[in-house]
Structure formats: structure tokens, C-alpha cells
Amino acid sequence: MGVDADRLRDLTLALVEVESPTGDTAEVARLYARRLEEIGLEVELLDDPFPATPIVVGRLRGGEPGPTIVLNGHLDTVPIPHEPPRVEGGRVWGRGSADMKGPVAAATEAVRVVAESGRSFPGELVVVAIGLHEAPGGRGEDLTWLLGEHGFTADYAIVCELAGDRLVAAHMGQATVEIEIRRDGMPTHELQTAAGTPNPILVAARVIEAVRKQNEELAATEHPWVGAETYFFGEVHGGDFYNRHPATCRLVGTRRWAPGNTLGAAQAEYDELVAPIAAESGCTIDVRLELVRDAYSVDPEHPLAVALRGGYEEVTGEPLEATGMKVVADGAVFQAVGGIPTVYHGPRGEGAHADVESIAIEELARSARIYLATLERLWAGA
Ligand SMILES: [Zn+2]
């Protein structure tokens, strides 16, 4: 009655066969909800306030008092086209196979094994699947609502992605950055513009240079897990004709910060950085940081992390070493909004966000076993 690789393969393929770009996951959510019902879970499909991305919550009650443990994943994928889904060479191929319908299937398989064993266990096992994960279309608004306004709570959460062979001890926080530089008036002919009129493109150059210097200063401080914080620009937009004096210029990028820092502090620091440039140039400079996810960290000695490390070692025979990551993910939301101790573990796939994406069925089975071994340890400690 253990983990069944064929079932894992079939559920992963079924989920991948329903296209579900971020923000448009209702169909796959309904399919997934039905599958959870079939294995004996009590399922809620929460389609308010995000009707296009209903949240799937599936519960298995253990019959004894104990902790509520969440296994979490996202059903949305990046909106990048992919060849039709298929199974080949022991892998499932298709958009979302690795990121992260395969991992959702692995978590589901672990719950199925418990459900079909008919055993009792302490507390509850809850599967939560969302549809607004991948930025920029999603910023975890649905998960934030579930854990905030909706009042969903639990004792532990396992976010089923990010690292299959490491304990993620910390990851960075991230915001998108949009800077708008504006002068008064409309664009004018280069030669018919009053002397002294600021040129937002040249002002943008000063902002870019100030940010470059600041970035260099940040590079000197290495956070032990995640390295140095960063400023980054990926886009510059300004002007519309070679001899027109522009009225606006726009810079777009990211700001990433280490655990301990906050979005509010990063915004304040940015405002302070551009204030003298705005004052000297006569342009208005608006800096808007928008949260993607907060920073995250967990003590490797926290009972949840200890259970995961023990479960990993039991299944693989290897220790689970701690590491830090730059990339952001939903553990931050469970922690910051829900106040729920959270760890990451997910099967390792290939090609997330790339042209070709796949995941090995054996790897999915391995993660399902690790989830089960981790749960056993949490239950034993309950
Ligand atoms: Zn993902």
C-alpha cells in the first residue's frame, strides 16, 4: 500500500493536459478537486473572491487530536507555450510538469496513501492548491487572502517546491520596481523647448547611476544564506521621437532583500535615494515597489525542519544540507500572513519557465515517500 508511480504519472499528466496559465486555472482546479474527492478528501473549492482561480482545499481528518499539516502547491503555470504533454523515458513532459503539477501530484499521492490505508493519525492533513502564483500575473494574492481575510490556519506547512535535495534555510524577499520620471508640460520640439527644461531621459541616467552605486554598496554585505541584496533594472522606456524633448521616462526592475529587511524599508531607502535628484532636476520621480513575496527563513532545528530532514534521510540515505536561495516562493506567505511554520521540499524537475519542461516519475515517487516519512515524524512528535 505504498506510493504508486503509475498513479503519480497519470495524475501529473492529467493535470498537465489542462492548460492553466496564471490567473486562468478554474478548469484544472475543478479537475484536481474531483481527484481529491475520489481519494476520500473533504474538498472545498473557494471561488470567491478569485473566480478565475478557485482555491482547492482538501482535508483528511485523522480521528485523533493533533496538528493540522498543510501540503501546498500551485496549479498555475507560466504563460509560455509548450509542445503537447506526453510521457516518455520515465518522465512527464509538458508545461507545468516540473513547476509544479508534478509536485502537486506527489503531495497528493502521499495523502492518498494515508487516506486509503484507513489508519487514524493525529490532527488533519490539508492540501491547498492555488492559481495566482507565478509573477507578474500572480503575486500569491489568493494564498494571501486564504491565510489572511479568510482565516485559514494550520500548525505546519510544507510548500512542495523549490528544493528537492536541500533544506531551504532562507530565501530573499522581492518587489518589482517601477520608477516614473516626469517633467511639467508636453513633449516639445528639441529647438522649441525653453532653456533649463529638464530632460527626463538624462534624469533617468542619474537615477540609474545612483542605483548602480547603491548596488555596489549593498554587494559588500553578504547575508549568510542568501548573499547580498540587489537593485536591478531590466527595462528603460523614454521618448518617442529623435528630436522631441521627452516629458517622461520609465525604469522597470527588481529589488531583492535578505531576511530581516522589509518592503517598507526598501521603499523608504529608494525614496531617499531619488529625492535629491528630483529636487535638483525639477522632475517628479515616483518610485513604486510592489511586493512579489517577502523574505523567508526557518531555523534548521525547528521541529518541522527536523522532521523533514529526518524524513529525507530515511528515504534517500543522505543528509539534507541547508542552503539559501535568491528566488522567492510561497513559504513567505504562510509565514508572514498565516504565522505558520513552513518548510520547502519539492521533487526536482527540469526546465521550469524554459521552452521544454519535464519531471522524472521516479523523482515524484521519491518526494511522495519523503512527504510520508516527514508526516510520520511530525505525528510521532505530536
Ligand atoms: Zn512554481
Side-chain angles (χ1 to χ4, degrees), residues 66-84:
T68 298
I69 305 172
V70 176
L71 294 165
N72 161 259
H74 62 87
L75 291 168
D76 58 317
T77 72
V78 290
I80 300 167
H82 195 289
E83 279 181 20

Side-chain angles (χ1 to χ4, degrees), residues 74 76 98-100 133-134 161 353:
H74 62 87
D76 58 317
D99 184 13
M100 62 170 288
H133 169 84
E134 298 286 357
E161 69 171 346
H353 300 215

Side-chain angles (χ1 to χ4, degrees), residues 53-323:
T53 56
I55 303 170
V56 185
V57 179
R59 266 174 212 282
L60 184 66
R61 298 185 202 274
E64 302 162 28
T68 298
I69 305 172
V70 176
L71 294 165
N72 161 259
H74 62 87
L75 291 168
D76 58 317
T77 72
V78 290
I80 300 167
H82 195 289
E83 279 181 20
R86 67 180 197 282
V87 175
E88 193 186 305
R91 306 178 75 84
V92 180
W93 302 76
R95 179 60 68 223
S97 54
D99 184 13
M100 62 170 288
K101 291 174 176 180
V104 166
T108 309
E109 177 62 10
V111 177
R112 182 199 67 81
V113 169
V114 178
E116 293 191 358
S117 73
R119 61 175 284 185
S120 75
F121 60 89
E124 281 180 46
L125 258 183
V126 188
V127 180
V128 171
I130 62 161
L132 285 170
H133 169 84
E134 298 286 357
R139 293 167 187 264
E141 296 91 335
D142 46 357
L143 187 59
T144 301
W145 171 83
L146 183 77
L147 295 166
E149 241 174 283
H150 189 65
F152 178 95
T153 185
D155 298 289
Y156 302 115
I158 302 173
V159 173
C160 301
E161 69 171 346
L162 221 57
D165 52 7
R166 291 285 185 277
L167 176 74
V168 180
H171 68 60
M172 286 212 162
Q174 187 205 336
T176 50
V177 177
E178 279 217 44
I179 302 178
E180 170 120 24
I181 301 160
R182 259 187 339 267
R183 68 168 170 88
D184 289 337
M186 292 194 297
T188 35
H189 189 291
E190 175 194 350
L191 299 177
Q192 284 158 14
T193 305
T197 304
N199 183 334
I201 290 180
L202 298 184
V203 177
R206 295 181 58 185
V207 172
I208 292 169
E209 176 54 19
V211 165
R212 189 197 62 76
K213 263 175 74 181
Q214 186 92 345
N215 202 38
E216 224 169 65
E217 270 167 45
L218 283 184
T221 311
E222 290 266 328
H223 182 279
W225 289 117
V226 297
E229 300 193 3
T230 54
Y231 289 79
F232 176 78
F233 287 129
E235 299 174 42
V236 180
H237 304 270
D240 60 2
F241 201 66
Y242 80 105
N243 68 352
R244 262 157 65 90
H245 192 115
T248 65
C249 188
R250 196 164 64 91
L251 306 173
V252 187
T254 66
R255 173 79 169 86
R256 294 177 194 267
W257 61 88
N261 203 352
T262 63
L263 173 70
Q267 174 78 56
E269 189 189 70
Y270 229 128
D271 289 340
E272 217 171 284
L273 188 70
V274 303
I277 302 171
E280 276 170 44
S281 68
C283 280
T284 307
I285 305 178
D286 283 333
V287 179
R288 210 176 73 231
L289 267 61
E290 206 180 328
L291 187 67
V292 177
R293 299 293 190 285
D294 260 312
Y296 160 93
S297 66
V298 69
D299 178 354
E301 297 307 323
H302 186 280
L304 176 59
V306 169
L308 174 63
R309 285 163 48 204
Y312 181 89
E313 188 156 355
E314 181 186 320
V315 171
T316 66
E318 306 277 334
L320 187 64
E321 310 279 359
T323 189

